[in-house]
Amino acid sequence: MIRAGLGALLSHWRRHPLQLAMLLAGLALATALWSGVQAINAEARASYDRAAAALGQNRLDRIVRSDGQPLTLADYVALRRAGWPVSPMVEGRLPGLSVRLVGIEPLTLPAEARQDGLNGAGDLAAFLRPPGLLLANAETARRLAGSALPTVRLDENLPDGVALADIGIAQGLLGRGEAMDRLVLAPDWSGDPGTVVTGLVRRSAEQQGDIARLTDSFHLNLTAFGFLAFAVGLFIVHSAIGLAFEQRRTMVRTLRALGVPARLLMGLMLAELLILGALAGTAGVLLGYLVAGALLPDVAATLRGLYGAEVPGTLSLRPGWWVAGMGIALAGTLIASAQGLWHLWRLPLLTAAQPRAWARARGRALMGQAAAGSVLLVLCALLVLGRPGAGLWAGFGALAALLIGAALLLPLFLAAATRAGGRLSRGVVAEWFWADTRQQVPGLSLSLMALLLALAANIGVGTMVSSFRATFTGWLDQRLASELYLTAADEAEAKRLTDWLAPKVEAILPIVRVEAVLAGRPGDIYGVADHATYRDHWPVLEAQPGVWDLVATGRGVLANEQMFRQGRMSLGDRIDLPDGALPVVGVYSDYGNPRAQVLMGLSTFDKRFPDVPHLRFGLRLPPEQTEALVEGLTRSFPLPPEALVDQAAIKAESLRIFERTFTVTTALNVLTLAVAGLALFASLLTLAGLRLPQLAPVWAMGLTRARLARLELVRSLALALFTFAAALPLGLALAWVLLAVVNVEAFGWRLPMEVFPGDWLRLLGLALVAAGLAALVPALRLARMAPARLLGVFANER
Amino acid sequence: MNAKALLLALLVPLPVLAQGFAGLGTTSEGFALPERRELVFPADHGAHPEFRVEWWYLTATLTGPDGTEYGAQWTLFRTALAPGEAGGWDSPQVWLGHAGVTTPDRQFVAERLARGGIGQAGVQAEPFEAWIDDWQMQGQAAAGQDQLARLDVAARGADFGYELHLSTDGPIVPQGDHGYSVKSAQGQASMYYSQPFYRVEGRLDLPSGPVQVTGQAWLDREWSSQPLGSDQTGWDWFSLLFDDGARLMGFRLRDGAGGYSSGTWIDADGTPSALPPGALKLTPLTTAQVAGRTVPVEWRLELDQYGIDVTTKALNPQSWMAVNPPYWEGPIRIEGSRTGRGYLEMTGY
Amino acid sequence: MLLQFEGVTKTYATGDGVLRVLDSADLSLAAGETLALTGESGSGKSTLLHLAAGLDLADAGTVRLDGTDLAAAGDGGRAALRRGTVGLVFQQFNLIPSLTVAENLSFQARLAGRNDPTWTGELARDLGLASLLGRYPEQLSGGQQQRVAIGRTLAVRPRLVLADEPTGNLDEATGDSVIEVMLRLVAGTGAALLMVTHSARLAARLGRRLHLSGGRLR
């Protein structure tokens, strides 16, 4: 019986292979996008962990000088001789290679930060002794090839773009003399290094999570994308399964009449679904792997550029994905089929077969859906406006409520739009067209909801990324207003440099910094000169009148946005500073910095912190003279490469990074749209069969098949257009929630939203192409349909 | 295998290195070789960077106020990746510290690693000081005096620490032939002298609290460039402090055949007599399972010339130095024709 | 002649071989004439009707509608004839579910570009649909739906009405009243009527009667 029953059920798919293909494709694509995005995320996370672990940055506290100056060998030895389990590190970019060279001391390196790359006693001796060894993975080694550097030994555990060397070797390669950037401290050691060596401070491992937090924001976007993509895919599955159930009602009734128990029948259908789900899930995971593999190099490039975090551009198929991918595929199948199974369960056995259009049944739910959608939108508004600062989950809840609510309201919106279209149209064909389009809305609503979500996600995430880029590059322009930044090794060199520079540049602006606890958080106090550079460029968000005069004369300080917002401050509040509190007279944006920051006038700073030497300078000069000046400086002074920073180079690098971000975002956008297009295609294709009784009379009354086909195409485009109209505000709302709610909750700063109508036009074009392509096959079929099939409508006993 | 393990393989002194020493081969490229000469003090208390390996090795047999016996070890090893010394990170010298405390039921172990050339570890001949990080062996004698006559020794690990004050009137004892100690029938040798007559008082810091201790200690100084013979697999080394004031240093280097044993008899007044190879008979009596290995923890030592026929028994058979590579090192109790206490080191098990 | 079949042959491929539903059939229908077409189930009555409407094409022979050879008229030409010259009444009513009764009534006339609200209004009244104009097809009974279909057809003022078992889905009393009003209105417009029916009683009410059997008309 089981075999016969299953055979009968499966015969449906034999008769409707396209439906089966849609079901499998939808589920596979949904799984693919989901698992692809997850794969990218997982790979990237694993890489950070590796990178952080490689350098002990995730778990180890560090010791640095409070004045930001490098540590000396004497500092290190003094701490060791006092029993502190510290190990020195030096770090810098290898000029021209975009490789970060980290110098370590392998004998004292805590186990948490230990490297496994040395494979023999001879290696270790070679590593320690000049000329030394570099450890790097193959990708980094490729970048290092050909340069006059020590021999490279491969260590694939190292993150991309990082090379390790012994500290002595690294100091030499980086031209750092005996300078060390930090000491990492083995765990479980308490104490204040300042009691051993004055001026040393300890930074806990948690304070260093800046990279993790920033990259989290990127992953948040990707995860949101993955989720949306999966939701879009589920719509396809749901409509395919729903249709299959509807079409098999008669078969189910017959089977039950023939004595197959309802329970067994349900079991069979469930088994059938799980088999299909497993097949599609397998394909989906593999496909996701391909998607991730194709996108990962771009993601890697994005993260490398954006946050300096390295992700290898390669991927390994982790067992975890299989589990997660198959799980989500099967869960998705069950969710999508729950309704259909429930209806079949309740199917009365003896009631006469009533033709009940699947589409009509959906139509009746329209008002109920709309009501639920409205409730969700209200909930979203409450979450966003009702309790600001309610936390990240409230932000995500608001996002979910917004998207689902809007999707549920879509059919009502489309019905209204088509009604309005009918009212505005003249001519009987147009009227029929609109009336018929309205008729189609319930049947297409699921796939149109998918399209809505895809479009909204595109607009939302696109707007967010674009806003981020615009803000960030603008902020770079402001923060890096000087043409060149110069760091001197000591005060004597600073004096020689400034004397040399004075006649050659427009201004030399000292930049000084001390670490301090600000509003209960670890932070930095900067001293800046009173100069137009700051007055004109500094990204001040909010300020009292005459803010720069107040700062210059020591009557106030500027605070960064993070500290200001998290401390729930307002302008004029006094903030405790070493040597006395000062009022906050302005706030500036400071993206990507997890620490509190305060800006005070240089003279005030010097009075309060007389021991801090002036070693860093911003140089103002006509941009076209930069190159010549750099050349002159490096010829006249033995400056290490990182002592001179050319802001144009930084900006160019940043812009390149964002272009890469766009590559990834665009690729995911197109994929999501493709899935939505497929959903629309599946719906149109299945509806095409059901619609013949509605089209045949119109054909019989004198509209040609070709014209009907064109109208079908136009209908699809019109629905896509309406859906886009609904998606635009939804996408902007989505972007707003991401920028103004989720971002603030997650990272502490709010990004101003900027809109890019040009992008919308492009997206509208894409949406229309997707809808047009989706409608093309059904329309062509209609145009070429044998009259006999249309005549069948009139002849068939129904 | 991680870097530290490899480094240890490179660093560990002769006895410990006897097991598998692939990294260095069997020659001593460019390093100085031991020669028959008189020891020169205080200069020879300091480091000999032209030799490959060197150590300052202190073992102490101690007793608490309640009669509980303890042992303590303080060791500083030096190994050279290349002969000679250079300043800063370019120094080829690498330093390694081992500290241990043995109680009847616990073994506490700590280790430290340091680069030479930067001051993190080193040895200074006069005023005598040997150190690595915050571990110290500091001479308290005035200039011109025997720099090893009074020492303050301290070390600590995660769960233990100690401070010991050592003093002696006894002479420094050259081992072997005026300090030239032969280690194999093929003639491998080291420069070797000892101070086996320290009185000790001090404090052990244990998880259960501080313990005031008194006792005796033995300092070994040894340097060499010659690895063991390629067939030598391990080493059993004894320092015996007899209750009547006499001392005996004896060792056996194990190989596939009968091994190579030697030693020095030291009279209570410090007069040394080098033992001819094979004169000292060492026989394992009882073994114990230690860290998954079978290690002899009771021995019979026979030295007919001096009427010695004793058995030694470990205070704590689990005196395992869980460093890398690990070895056994702990205090022993002597019974038989003479009584006393001592220290036993066993490697290569 | 308004409608003329000359040697029309139509075959269908079926599982049992080729089925010749029309075999050199000849038929002519003058303006204003009414003709009943009877025959066994599956004898090809509907096929003949579809050929007359230009919904399907003959394998051999010619079908002329108002002098136009349908085979030569092309898809567009046939569609134009269906819009303006021919009116179809189906057994299944085939109303457009998304349009109201009023919209359905005027639908084809407006397609043909000759909507006459007065005339449509008269039809609605005559058909007893005046109170139902705002309703949707699914809210009507079968008889009411068929009246809407008849009204939709006549609103064009077609010169030829083709009806395929118009009462086939209705009970006898309802069917009779529908036929009654249809015949009256067709007569009123002067259109010719070709009606397929299996009911001899209905066939008797028309001017002429042909029986289709074995592909031939008698």
Side-chain angles (χ1 to χ4, degrees):
Chain A
M1 185 158 70
I2 291 177
R3 218 174 142 161
L6 197 58
L9 286 173
L10 290 176
S11 69
H12 172 82
W13 301 112
R14 212 167 43 239
R15 292 256 337 269
H16 301 87
L18 202 60
Q19 218 177 77
L20 177 64
M22 280 305 123
L23 176 67
L24 292 177
L27 198 53
L29 270 179
T31 311
L33 272 173
W34 166 261
S35 61
V37 168
Q38 290 309 306
I40 292 174
N41 271 343
E43 191 64 27
R45 290 232 164 84
S47 299
Y48 306 143
D49 289 349
R50 214 156 44 224
L55 308 172
Q57 284 169 336
N58 53 343
R59 281 161 291 174
L60 297 180
D61 287 7
R62 0 166 132 180
I63 291 167
V64 294
R65 292 199 63 91
S66 62
D67 58 10
Q69 294 304 304
L71 296 121
T72 63
L73 188 57
D75 296 335
Y76 166 61
V77 172
L79 279 173
R80 287 295 312 193
R81 300 269 345 241
W84 284 64
V86 290
S87 186
M89 283 193 185
V90 68
E91 191 172 330
R93 295 239 157 224
L94 284 172
L97 294 171
S98 82
V99 169
R100 198 155 48 105
L101 178 65
V102 179
I104 55 166
E105 204 291 279
L107 303 192
T108 49
L109 199 62
E112 289 75 10
R114 199 172 291 162
Q115 285 307 305
D116 295 341
L118 298 171
N119 296 316
D123 275 5
L124 186 73
F127 187 78
L128 296 178
R129 301 279 296 141
L133 274 186
L134 295 184
L135 297 185
N137 70 12
E139 158 66 20
T140 314
R142 213 173 34 72
R143 275 188 254 169
L144 293 169
S147 48
L149 289 167
T151 311
V152 177
R153 185 66 44 100
L154 292 187
D155 180 357
E156 293 305 328
N157 288 319
L158 283 171
D160 255 6
V162 171
L164 286 189
D166 179 63
I167 182 155
I169 307 292
Q171 284 169 338
L173 291 174
L174 296 169
R176 295 289 301 276
E178 293 201 332
M180 303 166 178
D181 291 316
R182 59 180 175 274
L183 304 175
V184 291
L185 181 61
D188 305 324
W189 186 271
S190 54
D192 172 11
T195 61
V196 181
V197 179
T198 318
L200 295 190
V201 290
R202 175 172 179 162
R203 274 201 196 156
S204 72
E206 298 83 63
Q207 288 166 18
Q208 301 155 14
D210 46 349
I211 283 190
R213 299 193 83 193
L214 275 172
T215 46
D216 273 353
S217 110
F218 188 82
H219 289 307
L220 202 63
N221 292 353
L222 284 181
T223 305
F225 245 132
F227 231 6
L228 281 169
F230 188 72
V232 166
L234 277 194
F235 280 108
I236 308 179
V237 179
H238 188 255
S239 58
I241 290 180
L243 185 67
F245 278 14
E246 180 62 31
Q247 291 179 340
R248 287 193 289 186
R249 278 172 163 275
T250 323
M251 182 197 293
V252 167
R253 193 174 276 120
T254 308
L255 283 173
R256 285 186 61 188
L258 292 176
V260 180
R263 203 176 290 274
L264 176 66
L265 207 51
M266 292 294 288
L268 287 176
M269 294 194 96
L270 208 57
E272 174 200 41
L273 285 171
L274 290 178
I275 292 167
L276 293 176
L279 282 176
T282 308
V285 172
L286 288 173
L287 205 59
Y289 173 70
L290 292 179
V291 168
L295 288 181
L296 197 61
D298 282 322
V299 175
T302 298
L303 291 170
R304 170 159 58 231
L306 199 52
Y307 308 123
E310 289 285 352
V311 180
T314 54
L315 197 62
S316 46
L317 198 52
R318 291 163 196 272
W321 301 350
W322 280 107
V323 177
M326 296 303 289
I328 197 104
L330 292 178
T333 311
L334 291 180
I335 291 170
S337 56
Q339 194 186 7
L341 283 172
W342 174 248
H343 281 173
L344 275 189
W345 181 250
R346 306 262 322 254
L347 187 69
L349 182 57
L350 291 177
T351 311
Q354 292 171 335
R356 193 179 77 121
W358 168 66
R360 298 297 303 162
R362 294 272 182 283
R364 262 174 241 131
L366 196 71
M367 291 318 287
Q369 273 182 22
S374 308
V375 169
L376 282 171
L377 287 191
V378 170
L379 180 69
C380 169
L382 286 177
L383 280 170
V384 170
L385 306 172
R387 284 185 56 210
L392 198 53
W393 289 110
F396 282 127
L399 272 187
L402 176 68
L403 288 173
I404 300 172
L408 289 178
L409 277 170
L410 181 72
L412 194 68
F413 170 78
L414 291 176
T418 47
R419 197 169 294 126
R423 219 167 282 138
L424 291 174
S425 62
R426 249 167 289 156
V428 63
V429 176
E431 278 174 27
W432 168 76
F433 171 80
W434 288 117
D436 192 58
T437 304
R438 190 160 72 246
Q439 183 84 8
Q440 301 306 307
V441 165
L444 289 172
S445 66
L446 277 170
S447 47
L448 290 174
M449 285 181 198
L451 185 63
L452 175 81
L453 292 185
L455 289 172
N458 271 327
I459 295 170
V461 176
T463 303
M464 179 181 148
V465 173
S466 299
S467 296
F468 193 47
R469 174 169 79 159
T471 313
F472 193 75
T473 48
W475 171 82
L476 272 181
D477 269 341
Q478 296 165 333
R479 288 296 292 264
L480 297 174
S482 295
E483 281 69 24
L484 272 178
Y485 291 85
L486 179 63
T487 309
D490 50 46
E491 279 183 281
E493 188 183 66
K495 175 84 171 63
R496 286 196 302 277
L497 282 168
T498 48
D499 288 350
W500 186 88
L501 285 166
K504 299 185 177 64
V505 298
E506 290 167 7
I508 300 174
L509 308 170
I511 301 163
V512 285
R513 177 180 78 94
V514 289
E515 298 198 357
V517 174
L518 298 171
R521 306 171 56 202
D524 305 284
I525 301 173
Y526 275 87
V528 294
D530 181 20
H531 192 266
T533 302
Y534 297 104
R535 292 175 181 257
D536 297 347
H537 293 288
W538 202 256
V540 172
L541 298 174
E542 229 188 301
Q544 290 179 355
V547 55
W548 288 106
D549 292 328
L550 292 171
V551 170
T553 52
R555 283 176 286 159
V557 293
L558 290 166
N560 71 346
E561 185 187 6
Q562 291 84 302
M563 180 175 97
F564 192 78
R565 286 196 197 285
Q566 291 186 8
R568 307 245 184 278
M569 298 180 183
S570 39
L571 289 184
D573 285 359
R574 294 177 76 79
I575 174 168
D576 282 329
L577 297 168
D579 217 21
L582 280 174
V584 173
V585 295
V587 187
Y588 58 93
S589 54
D590 188 15
Y591 304 110
N593 177 9
R595 291 162 66 82
Q597 201 179 85
V598 153
L599 217 62
M600 63 169 62
L602 185 62
S603 51
T604 319
F605 185 95
D606 285 344
K607 258 177 257 153
R608 290 183 176 226
F609 309 102
D611 297 337
V612 177
H614 290 197
L615 297 177
R616 281 196 71 210
F617 305 93
L619 307 179
R620 297 307 312 268
L621 65 159
E624 64 275 10
Q625 295 175 16
T626 311
E627 207 172 315
L629 187 80
V630 170
E631 214 170 289
L633 259 174
T634 45
R635 228 188 1 255
S636 310
F637 297 91
L639 290 173
E642 68 280 358
L644 258 179
V645 175
D646 181 352
Q647 59 101 348
I650 294 182
K651 257 182 249 174
E653 175 76 5
S654 306
L655 287 176
R656 233 184 21 249
I657 290 155
F658 276 111
E659 292 319 314
R660 293 195 194 120
T661 315
F662 276 120
T663 321
V664 177
T665 314
T666 307
L668 286 175
N669 275 347
V670 169
L671 280 173
T672 320
L673 261 186
V675 173
L678 196 68
L680 197 59
F681 174 63
S683 301
L684 288 173
L685 211 56
T686 46
L687 280 181
L690 298 178
R691 276 172 52 65
L692 276 189
Q694 289 152 44
L695 291 175
V698 184
W699 168 71
M701 278 180 271
L703 285 189
T704 60
R705 284 166 297 165
R707 182 146 187 223
L708 284 173
R710 279 198 299 279
L711 286 174
E712 288 295 291
L713 209 56
V714 172
R715 183 189 331 279
S716 174
L717 293 180
L719 286 173
L721 186 69
F722 290 149
T723 306
F724 182 84
L728 188 57
L730 178 62
L732 293 178
L734 177 68
W736 185 82
V737 173
L738 281 173
L739 292 170
V741 180
V742 172
N743 221 38
V744 172
E745 296 297 346
F747 312 114
W749 61 86
R750 176 178 180 158
L751 292 169
M753 185 161 134
E754 299 196 22
V755 292
F756 299 86
D759 290 353
W760 303 344
L761 278 180
R762 197 178 48 83
L763 188 61
L764 175 61
L766 276 176
L768 292 181
V769 168
L773 285 177
L776 199 58
V777 171
L780 282 176
R781 278 185 163 189
L782 180 60
R784 293 177 189 158
M785 185 172 283
R789 273 204 67 194
L790 287 162
L791 290 174
V793 171
F794 307 125
N796 282 353
E797 168 79 16
R798 280 169 66 197
Chain B
M1 202 173 181
N2 66 38
K4 207 172 255 188
L6 280 159
L7 187 77
L8 269 151
L10 199 76
L11 279 175
V12 177
L14 267 152
V16 179
L17 278 180
Q19 49 170 327
F21 199 159
L24 287 179
T26 51
T27 54
S28 344
E29 318 86 1
F31 289 100
L33 290 177
E35 53 187 307
R36 291 173 197 273
R37 65 158 171 90
E38 290 301 318
L39 295 167
V40 180
F41 301 123
D44 277 333
H45 296 325
H48 301 79
E50 64 278 15
F51 288 80
R52 190 194 290 278
V53 292
E54 181 164 18
W55 57 83
W56 294 255
Y57 210 120
L58 183 83
T59 50
T61 52
L62 303 168
T63 306
D66 61 353
T68 307
E69 296 186 4
Y70 300 94
Q73 177 198 348
W74 191 105
T75 314
L76 181 64
F77 300 102
R78 178 192 63 76
T79 190
L81 303 174
E85 182 58 303
W89 298 111
D90 286 349
S91 163
Q93 303 294 328
V94 175
W95 297 82
L96 171 66
H98 284 178
V101 164
T102 308
T103 75
D105 50 11
R106 292 281 305 270
Q107 175 85 357
F108 298 95
V109 182
E111 64 181 325
R112 296 291 175 89
L113 279 154
R115 298 278 281 274
I118 59 169
Q120 185 187 346
V123 177
Q124 174 182 292
E126 186 173 13
F128 179 77
E129 187 183 8
W131 74 93
I132 181 167
D133 292 345
D134 54 335
W135 297 4
Q136 296 196 41
M137 178 182 281
Q138 198 155 21
Q140 302 295 328
Q145 307 277 302
D146 174 4
Q147 288 296 309
L148 299 186
R150 287 173 60 207
L151 298 176
D152 283 352
V153 178
R156 62 179 158 139
D159 49 359
F160 77 104
Y162 57 75
E163 273 180 34
L164 303 175
H165 307 286
L166 280 56
S167 57
T168 182
D169 304 325
I172 288 170
V173 180
Q175 304 278 10
D177 178 8
H178 294 79
Y180 184 85
S181 167
V182 176
K183 288 294 190 286
S184 78
Q186 289 76 41
Q188 270 97 348
S190 66
M191 298 303 289
Y192 186 4
Y193 66 87
S194 305
Q195 172 47 276
F197 297 114
Y198 285 118
R199 292 179 304 277
V200 180
E201 58 183 49
R203 191 186 77 244
L204 304 180
D205 291 319
L206 300 177
S208 52
V211 182
Q212 296 296 328
V213 289
T214 56
Q216 296 174 299
W218 177 309
L219 173 71
D220 265 355
R221 282 280 294 115
E222 192 159 8
W223 62 95
S224 170
S225 294
Q226 290 176 301
L228 302 180
S230 56
D231 55 346
Q232 292 179 328
T233 59
W235 150 293
D236 308 305
W237 177 92
F238 290 84
S239 60
L240 304 181
L241 296 81
F242 297 113
D243 293 337
D244 61 8
R247 302 289 187 256
L248 174 62
M249 184 282 290
F251 61 87
R252 180 181 74 155
L253 286 157
R254 303 193 299 280
D255 53 31
Y260 180 87
S261 78
S262 185
T264 303
W265 177 264
I266 305 164
D267 288 330
D269 65 359
T271 309
S273 311
L275 304 177
L280 178 65
K281 287 214 290 286
L282 301 103
T283 316
L285 297 179
T286 311
T287 58
Q289 286 300 118
V290 182
R293 302 150 206 249
T294 304
V295 179
V297 292
E298 280 190 46
W299 290 75
R300 180 176 183 193
L301 270 66
E302 296 161 275
L303 182 57
D304 297 342
Q305 188 185 348
Y306 295 92
I308 298 293
D309 185 353
V310 296
T311 56
T312 72
K313 195 171 176 180
L315 169 67
N316 177 354
Q318 304 293 324
S319 296
W320 194 247
M321 291 297 283
V323 289
N324 202 350
Y327 57 101
W328 195 103
E329 171 107 35
I332 50 176
R333 161 77 55 189
I334 307 162
E335 274 156 19
S337 62
R338 296 205 195 195
T339 57
R341 293 166 69 179
Y343 242 82
L344 168 60
E345 176 181 272
M346 297 180 284
T347 72
Y349 286 96
Chain C
M1 276 300 121
L2 182 62
L3 176 69
Q4 189 148 34
F5 279 52
E6 288 175 0
V8 171
T9 299
K10 182 73 182 173
T11 57
Y12 286 112
T14 69
D16 301 329
V18 174
L19 179 66
R20 190 171 289 255
V21 288
L22 286 178
D23 188 4
S24 261
D26 295 325
L27 177 152
S28 54
L29 188 67
E33 213 181 343
T34 60
L35 173 64
L37 184 63
T38 57
E40 301 300 317
S41 273
S43 60
K45 303 188 297 291
S46 291
T47 301
L48 190 145
L49 210 62
H50 293 154
L51 290 173
L55 292 169
D56 206 351
L57 290 178
D59 298 335
T62 48
V63 178
R64 285 178 204 279
L65 183 59
D66 205 13
T68 307
D69 181 352
L70 288 180
D75 212 23
R78 287 193 293 276
L81 280 171
R82 283 204 300 278
R83 278 200 298 278
T85 307
V86 185
L88 287 155
V89 178
F90 304 102
Q91 182 180 347
Q92 300 291 343
F93 327 136
N94 287 310
L95 298 178
I96 296 176
S98 49
L99 300 180
T100 61
V101 167
E103 288 166 339
N104 264 295
L105 275 176
S106 60
F107 186 75
Q108 196 179 358
R110 296 172 70 200
L111 274 182
R114 58 171 82 142
N115 186 27
D116 178 351
T118 319
W119 168 229
T120 314
E122 278 174 32
L123 282 174
R125 219 173 26 255
D126 288 347
L127 290 163
L129 298 170
S131 60
L132 306 172
L133 290 176
R135 297 210 184 164
Y136 283 89
E138 63 183 15
Q139 296 164 313
L140 301 183
S141 70
Q144 287 167 331
Q145 288 194 45
Q146 192 59 297
R147 282 162 198 260
V148 176
I150 291 166
R152 176 178 69 184
T153 298
L154 292 177
V156 188
R157 294 184 191 274
R159 300 188 50 209
L160 171 62
V161 173
L162 300 170
D164 189 355
E165 302 271 14
T167 59
N169 263 10
L170 303 175
D171 61 68
E172 193 171 302
T174 311
D176 281 353
S177 80
V178 166
I179 284 295
E180 193 62 42
V181 71
M182 182 172 81
L183 287 179
R184 184 157 50 77
L185 288 169
V186 165
T189 59
L193 171 66
L194 173 56
M195 182 167 84
V196 168
T197 179
H198 60 268
S199 158
R201 193 168 57 82
L202 280 183
R205 302 192 57 172
L206 270 62
R208 215 149 50 100
R209 177 175 174 182
L210 280 175
H211 188 75
L212 181 62
S213 177
R216 296 188 175 270
L217 287 165
R218 274 187 282 112

